[in-house]
Amino acid sequence: MPKIRRMRSSRFLASSIGVTCAAALALPAALPATASAAPQAPPASSASSADATTERAITPARAPAPAPGSTQSLPLVPFRAERGFDGSTAVEQGLERRDVRSFSLVGVVWDDPDAELQGRVQVRTRAKGTARWSGWQDVETHNHEHAADPDTVERASGRVRGSTAPLWVGPSDGVEVRVRAETPGRTAAPGVQLLPDGLRLELIDPGSDIPEAAVTQGAVTQGAVTQGAAGPGADTPPIGAPVDTPRLGTLTAEAAAASAVNADLAPLGATAIPALSREETEAELMALEPGVKPYIGPRPRIVTRRGWGADEKLRERDFLYMKRVKAAFVHHTASGNNYRCAQAPTVIRSIYRYHVVSSGWRDIGYNFLIDKCGTIYEGRAGGVAKAVMGAHTLGFNTNSMGIAVLGSYGSVKPPKSSVTAVAQLTAWKLGLYRANPNGKTYLTSGGGNLYRKGKKVRLNVISGHRDGFATECPGGRLYGKLGAARSAAARYQGR
């Protein structure tokens, strides 16, 4: 059984170097690592870690190494500046229609992470290997609220850039983009720059797919699928064989480190952490705190980073921990709903690369992600049961976790399976830290557009992103389901 005491003992910044060494001693030599097509984030400073140890190593069967992902970064060029009827100057930049290497996700970045893109970003893409172009699609521009807190090491690294939300477009090999400044009520003299400096189009290729069975088993057990609720990709995935053992080839040292922090929950190199029954989960919490009634939901099945194919060489090597998890912020990725559940690992690999390589973050920002079929995925590395510091809710990343539902839910109803998975995940994870999903808690603001830095704010234990920052996230339709998620999570905990 897992050892919850070690799960909850993590504090502050812990290095994965010790974990890497311990795992590497027991593993065969890793396959040569293939280089990505984009620069990698340099490793952060190291410190010792006593939180994760490798009790036993399992040698996976060798499999063909997946093709690495890549990033094409194209500078935008000025189109024109027109003086509007109200005296304002509209500035437009972009790229004309062109052929490019294969990609599946797009976004726009710029130099200053504190600058907002006040305007509209639209892209058109050509389906790979065809002459078929899409119509113009809007890219969500207000994304700076998904970031590390001000004055943190991650925010002050010098690598962070401003960025739009990513947009999933599927395999493509042609692109056209236009960015137009639109600032209501603002006037400017001719020639005034209204768009941020250094605009670039980022085209993300997530690399080759992983075996489909790695994610499909849990997709139908986490909750029923609401057919058609989230667009054309809301399909019921095929049922695969259990994959709670390593299957995807020899571990690299970085992959071993990311897996070893979950060694109390699953074998080294596992592609998924298996679900536990309510009785098993409660028994482990009672063993940690005898005599205290356990309020915790059954542990759900969670696809690991190895399960969705994370390139562990992209992220920074160190893991960043907090003291506890007092709240969960729910997000949507605003990346569109045009994906199939079997494609979710590919979408996550794309978002991961966009966060790290394009936006300059230390790792993917969210602690967990959930697809439209209700499958739960490990997000930022450090251990699913530990208090891992994320970069998801600007001003409130400390002592909280971020859960992102893949898709856009401003006007589209979220699938019932996704909302159920939010409740299942929070019932378990918050239960590890004695938090009531249907209760309130206080968090101290790190600074944002709703609350000044240092202010203690009373929030729902399960909150939407918009509760901590003035934003549309997680979309009105998903936000409207959070009350049901709170009630369900509390029931799962036995409250």
Side-chain angles (χ1 to χ4, degrees), residues 365-384:
Y366 308 112
N367 298 101
F368 297 93
L369 300 99
I370 296 172
D371 69 21
K372 62 178 70 175
C373 286
T375 302
I376 301 169
Y377 301 84
E378 178 183 15
R380 180 163 286 206
V384 298

Side-chain angles (χ1 to χ4, degrees), residues 319-342:
F319 305 135
L320 191 62
Y321 295 107
M322 311 169 292
K323 292 183 178 180
R324 69 194 73 179
V325 177
K326 297 174 63 178
F329 285 98
V330 178
H331 306 255
H332 67 169
T333 58
S335 52
N337 303 311
N338 192 26
Y339 71 93
R340 292 177 287 106
C341 291

Side-chain angles (χ1 to χ4, degrees), residues 442-465:
Y442 282 92
L443 295 177
T444 302
S445 174
N449 64 0
L450 277 183
Y451 303 104
R452 60 174 174 78
K453 184 176 180 179
K455 181 176 178 60
K456 293 186 182 299
V457 182
R458 189 168 185 258
L459 295 162
N460 288 311
V461 170
I462 299 178
S463 285
H465 187 181

